[in-house]
Amino acid sequence: MKSAVEKKLASWERTAQRVAALKDRSSRLSQRVRETRDKQQAVVVIGFPGTTIHHADRYALELIEETCSDLGSRLFLRVREKLGLAYYVGARHFPGLTPGYFSFYAGTLPEKVDLVEQELLREAELMSAEGLTEPN
């Protein structure tokens, strides 16, 4: 029994090292992609490295997703209701066996893409600095 436990714990360490290496690599691969089509609506998606389904941070990201994705969420109240910048707004968390991703998204007019991006990043920075607080 002891050897089975030690073997499992040893695999956790190797897994954690692989996950850390993937996260480090993905944080250096930041890029901005803009695709234009002949449409009246634009979709803004801002992605961040996520976690695995086994990582403890998964629950925090699921909580952030939940608090940013309904009609009373901080994103909805600021970006859609207060500023009138988007048709819809929310967040998604996709954990996997390897680190997935976390994203904020919004549907808006093509000419408002930059403003929506700024507001989504502003909200992400506020949450990072202050945690989950009442919407402004």
Side-chain angles (χ1 to χ4, degrees):
M1 181 64 133
K2 180 181 177 188
S3 65
V5 170
E6 288 173 347
K7 182 178 176 183
K8 185 63 178 171
L9 291 175
S11 74
W12 284 1
E13 185 174 315
R14 286 191 304 276
T15 300
Q17 290 168 349
R18 284 194 303 266
V19 168
L22 284 169
K23 281 186 175 182
D24 180 56
R25 192 184 91 215
S26 65
S27 68
R28 290 179 277 131
L29 298 176
S30 177
Q31 62 179 326
R32 184 173 188 186
V33 177
R34 188 174 287 222
E35 181 179 318
T36 304
R37 296 181 184 184
D38 187 22
K39 301 283 181 184
Q40 297 298 313
Q41 183 176 339
V43 178
V44 176
V45 180
I46 300 173
F48 302 92
T51 65
T52 69
I53 58 174
H54 303 292
H55 196 282
D57 287 349
R58 165 187 169 201
Y59 302 106
L61 290 173
E62 288 174 357
L63 180 61
I64 294 168
E65 174 187 24
E66 184 65 29
T67 60
C68 291
S69 295
D70 64 20
L71 299 179
S73 75
R74 63 189 305 136
L75 294 180
F76 187 88
L77 293 175
R78 176 155 177 83
V79 177
R80 180 175 166 31
E81 294 297 309
K82 186 175 181 182
L83 300 174
L85 293 175
Y87 304 115
Y88 58 87
V89 62
R92 288 285 177 255
H93 174 227
F94 288 98
L97 293 176
T98 60
Y101 70 90
F102 181 89
S103 65
F104 295 107
Y105 64 87
T108 188
L109 293 170
E111 59 269 18
K112 294 185 179 182
V113 165
D114 291 332
L115 289 171
V116 170
E117 181 180 352
Q118 289 171 16
E119 288 302 320
L120 293 177
L121 289 171
R122 178 184 171 278
E123 288 297 324
E125 288 172 5
L126 281 172
M127 282 187 278
S128 176
E130 301 173 4
L132 292 176
T133 59
E134 291 292 321
N136 293 329

